[in-house]
Amino acid sequence: MRYYLRILSYAKPYWFRISIALITAQVVAATDGALAWLVKPMMDRIFVEKNAAMLKFIPIAIIGLYTVRGIGRYLQNYLMRYANLRMIMDLRTDIFRHFQRMSLAFYKDRSTGELMSRITSDVGAVRNANVGLVKNLFRQIFTLLALMVVLFRRDWQLALMACVTVPPSGILIDRLGRKIKRLTKESQEKQADLSTLLVESLSGARIVKAFNMEKQETKRYRRQLHKLYSLSMKKVKASELVSPLVEWLGSLGVAAIIYVGGTRVMSGVLTPGDFFSFMAALMMMYSPIRKLTNVNSSIQSATAAAERIFEVLDLEPDIKDAPDAVEIKEFKDSIRFDQVWFAYPDDPETWTLKDITLEVRKGELLAIVGESGAGKSTLVDLVPRFYDATKGALYIDGTDVRKVTLNSLRSITGVVTQEIILFNDTIFNNILYGRPGATFDEVIEAARVAHAHEFIEDLPHGYDTVIGERGTRLSGGQKQRVAIARAVLKNPPILILDEATSALDTQSERMVQVALDRLMEGRTVFVIAHRLSTVQNASRILVLDKGEIKEMGSHQELLEQGGLYSRLHQLQFSQDYEDKPLSAVNF
Ligand SMILES: Nc1ncnc2c1ncn2[C@@H]1O[C@H](COP(=O)(O)OP(=O)(O)O)[C@@H](O)[C@H]1O
Ligand SMILES: [Mg+2]
């Protein structure tokens, strides 16, 4: 319940409209009470006494009451729905903003589908509950109160009899409510699994087809759907049981009241008008009670969903600005790794980087080579603080990177990786992502530097071509050049190239390489080398093996040392491997 109250705290900014809505809800409830009240004068004065004035007054009163009631209901629903939609919008914005603040480790631990389900289906469950809540809860409670007044005024003893059925109904509603909440939690989890599966098989459509897995994927989806269906059916069994059971309990009360009330009318204690007015009020209570029990079910569902929402929302990002973080305006001197040890949070036993001490001076080109899994990507990921060192520290111009604002650190570092992330937008906007304030000419210039201008011009809509999700409408080499143009536009003093060309075929690789060479000019570069030519040109080469620095020096020095690097080089050279991908060679 605590979580649900937190959701309701999102209503605060809209308190004024909600207050008005609550007042109109009371007006509507009062009209319900008044209608039940009118049954007595109608019976006793019109039908028993045959009073002509009343015959005119009551129909007019009824029209008047329904007019007020209609306007009140419209106003109440309008205002409450307004508040609800705004709350949901605010909540989704908060979750999304929170996602944006989280570190990469957070995304590694969770699937895209899982995160999507929190912001879509969990928030959706909350929204549905709120709709029920805002439309029904307050008005129905007020209506019940108004009708209760009528009951007690007409005959308090009968009214007390009617109340006897309340406690058992309450217990019933509570029991089933708990069950519904538990089932909702499970089904929201299933919903998340489903989203994950959906994201995977839709975005992996190419692989699904290549392996002829369409049928299996459908089966897998159907199986998950079936699990969700079973849970939903269990929930239906519980939630649909509430109203009929409560109704049946109510019928016991009604039966007793007709018997006792009828006896009292026969003995003259009550007028028929009293009795019918009482019965009208009692019958009119049926609908609010039914709606309230449904509201309870949906609040239980929403509580379960809210729990899942706040579970994520309450996580603190593990990488964030220190309270005393400083801005760095420019990169002046060096980046220094000081006895850096690193283990991934999900595998704290294994050191991925061991005792790395290293200084890269401004303008240097550092090539990092090593087997796949040696820790090359991990090493460079520490520079823009995608992860923080587990032990030891990283200094930029003498300042610990953990004492530098993330924003300023990331604005002086540029990253181009093997995995190219483009957005489903125009090429122009994808390049502009590098520096959103850039001018049109600057974007074109960046594209020229990245060797992308020519092919972009040849596209049907040039720079306005929309490139599809993840850039599916471009070839690998074209995508990479757009990504490079983006980095050129950003113009960061520190550049990280993580196997930027390794996913490409030889032909497009050559063009990308030219673009990369231009991008590297005048910058401090960490390049996870893929081509021997790049490595040879590096000011220093770092050979990484199982997270440790094995060798470090210039191409010439390392050859003279006769270690790992020279063995590799000889192997390549003798087999005429010159300018062949390093990955083709077994380290
Ligand atoms: N997010 C992660 N969580 C746990 N282990 C990881 C993660 N990313 C990489 N690793 C492990 O860390 C080691 C180094 O990985 P990586 O730096 O990507 O190597 P390289 O780039 O040299 O191929 C590998 O053994 C890999 O399995
Ligand atoms: Mg790597």
Side-chain angles (χ1 to χ4, degrees):
M1 208 58 201
R2 187 165 52 89
Y3 290 107
Y4 194 65
L5 291 179
R6 273 179 74 184
I7 294 277
L8 291 186
S9 72
Y10 277 81
K12 257 192 220 137
Y14 312 109
W15 68 271
F16 184 70
R17 284 161 209 257
I18 294 174
S19 315
I20 305 269
L22 288 184
I23 293 169
T24 53
Q26 292 179 41
V27 172
V28 174
T31 59
D32 281 337
L35 285 168
W37 188 259
L38 275 183
V39 173
K40 177 180 158 75
M42 189 179 75
M43 282 296 289
D44 290 349
R45 310 287 289 281
I46 299 178
F47 296 116
V48 181
E49 293 174 20
K50 312 211 181 335
N51 181 323
M54 272 292 164
L55 185 59
K56 291 192 187 112
F57 169 72
I58 287 181
I60 292 170
I62 286 179
I63 293 172
L65 282 173
Y66 269 95
T67 310
V68 173
R69 193 168 182 271
I71 295 172
R73 279 184 62 171
Y74 182 79
L75 206 62
Q76 190 224 347
N77 286 344
Y78 175 83
L79 291 171
M80 285 298 219
R81 290 297 290 270
Y82 169 91
N84 185 36
L85 289 172
R86 295 296 294 230
M87 276 169 72
I88 293 305
M89 201 157 87
D90 295 346
L91 181 62
R92 285 207 165 117
T93 312
D94 271 6
I95 300 174
F96 192 78
R97 185 184 301 123
H98 186 69
F99 282 172
Q100 300 298 320
R101 284 174 62 221
M102 296 311 282
S103 72
L104 281 182
F106 171 84
Y107 289 96
K108 284 256 161 81
D109 285 351
R110 291 167 185 81
S111 69
T112 310
E114 159 82 40
L115 293 177
M116 271 170 52
S117 81
R118 307 263 165 156
I119 206 165
T120 53
S121 78
D122 286 334
V123 175
V126 168
R127 184 195 52 217
N128 292 342
N130 280 359
V131 171
L133 188 75
V134 299
K135 276 184 77 171
N136 291 318
L137 182 64
F138 296 104
R139 185 164 82 228
Q140 308 307 354
I141 287 179
F142 292 139
T143 304
L144 281 180
L145 287 176
L147 293 172
M148 285 291 253
V149 170
V150 178
L151 288 189
F152 276 88
R153 291 300 298 271
R154 291 298 177 229
D155 186 338
W156 65 270
Q157 285 157 315
L158 276 186
L160 280 183
M161 270 182 59
C163 289
V164 170
T165 57
V166 172
S169 312
I171 293 170
L172 200 81
I173 292 170
D174 180 60
R175 282 280 165 80
L176 290 168
R178 278 165 210 268
K179 186 161 185 184
I180 290 165
K181 182 177 160 198
R182 186 173 51 74
L183 289 169
T184 305
K185 192 132 193 239
E186 280 178 50
S187 64
Q188 292 299 95
E189 280 158 17
K190 283 280 159 309
Q191 193 83 51
D193 292 347
L194 268 175
S195 308
T196 306
L197 199 147
L198 212 56
V199 170
E200 273 176 8
S201 49
L202 295 185
S203 61
R206 171 190 287 267
I207 299 298
V208 172
K209 293 193 188 311
F211 284 91
N212 268 332
M213 291 297 273
E214 293 96 331
K215 277 216 183 84
Q216 269 85 338
E217 286 295 313
T218 310
K219 240 189 236 160
R220 205 153 73 99
Y221 188 61
R222 171 95 188 163
R223 210 162 36 231
Q224 291 287 352
L225 271 182
H226 201 272
K227 283 185 193 158
L228 181 65
Y229 151 83
S230 310
L231 278 171
S232 304
M233 278 320 290
K234 275 189 196 160
K235 210 168 126 182
V236 167
K237 276 187 214 154
S239 62
E240 294 305 325
L241 200 59
V242 182
S243 282
L245 274 177
V246 169
E247 232 173 81
W248 185 78
L249 277 172
S251 77
L252 297 184
V254 170
I257 283 161
I258 291 178
Y259 183 77
V260 177
T263 321
R264 284 156 82 86
V265 172
M266 282 178 192
S267 64
V269 183
L270 289 179
T271 67
D274 280 320
F275 180 72
F276 279 104
S277 176
F278 186 95
M279 283 308 288
L282 196 63
M283 291 305 183
M284 281 170 76
M285 287 172 102
Y286 162 75
S287 147
I289 288 177
R290 188 176 50 86
K291 285 180 180 153
L292 281 177
T293 54
N294 288 343
V295 168
N296 181 62
S297 308
S298 53
I299 286 185
Q300 294 305 336
S301 302
T303 308
E307 238 177 281
R308 283 169 49 81
I309 291 169
F310 286 111
E311 197 178 278
V312 187
L313 217 45
D314 285 344
L315 288 176
E316 269 300 308
D318 50 358
I319 294 191
K320 58 180 174 193
D321 281 350
D324 52 346
V326 293
E327 294 257 331
I328 39 171
K329 297 264 171 350
E330 51 176 341
F331 175 54
K332 295 198 195 87
D333 186 35
S334 73
I335 294 167
R336 190 158 58 83
F337 287 69
D338 186 19
Q339 297 176 7
V340 169
W341 292 69
F342 181 82
Y344 278 101
D346 53 348
D347 188 12
E349 309 283 287
T350 321
W351 291 112
T352 304
L353 294 177
K354 296 174 203 149
D355 201 19
I356 303 286
T357 298
L358 165 74
E359 185 165 30
V360 180
R361 304 202 69 84
K362 187 176 179 178
E364 253 197 283
L365 169 58
L366 178 78
I368 303 166
V369 297
E371 274 184 0
S372 163
K376 305 181 295 293
S377 299
T378 310
L379 181 83
V380 295
D381 276 354
L382 299 184
V383 177
R385 273 190 87 196
F386 288 150
Y387 296 96
D388 273 336
T390 315
K391 281 201 289 184
L394 210 81
Y395 299 92
I396 182 159
D397 289 345
T399 312
D400 191 322
V401 288
R402 284 168 293 200
K403 288 279 187 285
V404 172
T405 61
L406 280 176
N407 214 318
S408 66
L409 181 66
R410 287 176 186 165
S411 64
I412 61 163
T413 46
V415 182
V416 180
T417 60
Q418 175 179 2
E419 181 198 19
I420 307 154
I421 306 295
L422 297 179
F423 299 101
N424 185 20
D425 201 337
T426 60
I427 295 213
F428 184 84
N429 284 338
N430 265 289
I431 299 176
L432 193 66
Y433 205 77
R435 181 156 53 89
T439 65
F440 181 79
D441 290 335
E442 285 171 324
V443 170
I444 308 294
E445 183 51 32
R448 279 189 207 280
V449 172
H451 258 283
H453 183 69
E454 299 75 22
F455 91 77
I456 296 173
E457 291 276 82
D458 285 346
L459 290 172
H461 302 287
Y463 282 86
D464 292 330
T465 311
V466 175
I467 56 179
E469 199 184 8
R470 293 172 209 225
T472 34
R473 284 186 213 139
L474 299 181
S475 80
Q478 291 172 334
K479 272 191 278 189
Q480 192 58 287
R481 280 180 279 157
V482 172
I484 292 170
R486 187 191 270 172
V488 170
L489 191 65
K490 183 175 178 187
N491 194 19
I494 301 167
L495 187 65
I496 293 165
L497 303 177
D498 188 349
E499 309 199 51
T501 58
S502 63
L504 305 179
D505 55 90
T506 334
Q507 191 125 46
S508 39
E509 186 181 350
R510 205 154 287 149
M511 284 213 263
V512 170
Q513 193 58 51
V514 177
L516 279 177
D517 289 342
R518 288 206 197 161
L519 175 63
M520 286 192 275
E521 272 167 32
R523 297 177 212 276
T524 311
V525 185
F526 292 81
V527 55
I528 294 180
H530 171 57
R531 279 194 168 277
L532 202 54
S533 57
T534 316
V535 180
Q536 280 170 342
N537 294 334
S539 21
R540 260 190 310 164
I541 299 160
L542 185 158
V543 183
L544 206 62
D545 184 35
K546 297 193 180 70
E548 279 178 286
I549 299 182
K550 267 281 143 68
E551 293 168 20
M552 187 154 50
S554 68
H555 177 67
Q556 210 52 44
E557 284 165 0
L558 290 188
L559 281 189
E560 280 160 21
Q561 267 180 25
L564 200 59
Y565 183 80
S566 77
R567 283 207 299 284
L568 156 76
H569 185 261
Q570 268 167 20
L571 184 68
Q572 288 210 351
F573 191 71
S574 64
Q575 297 183 354
D576 192 21
Y577 259 104
E578 190 75 43
D579 218 36
K580 283 281 176 339
L582 277 177
S583 52
V585 180
N586 204 0
F587 258 86

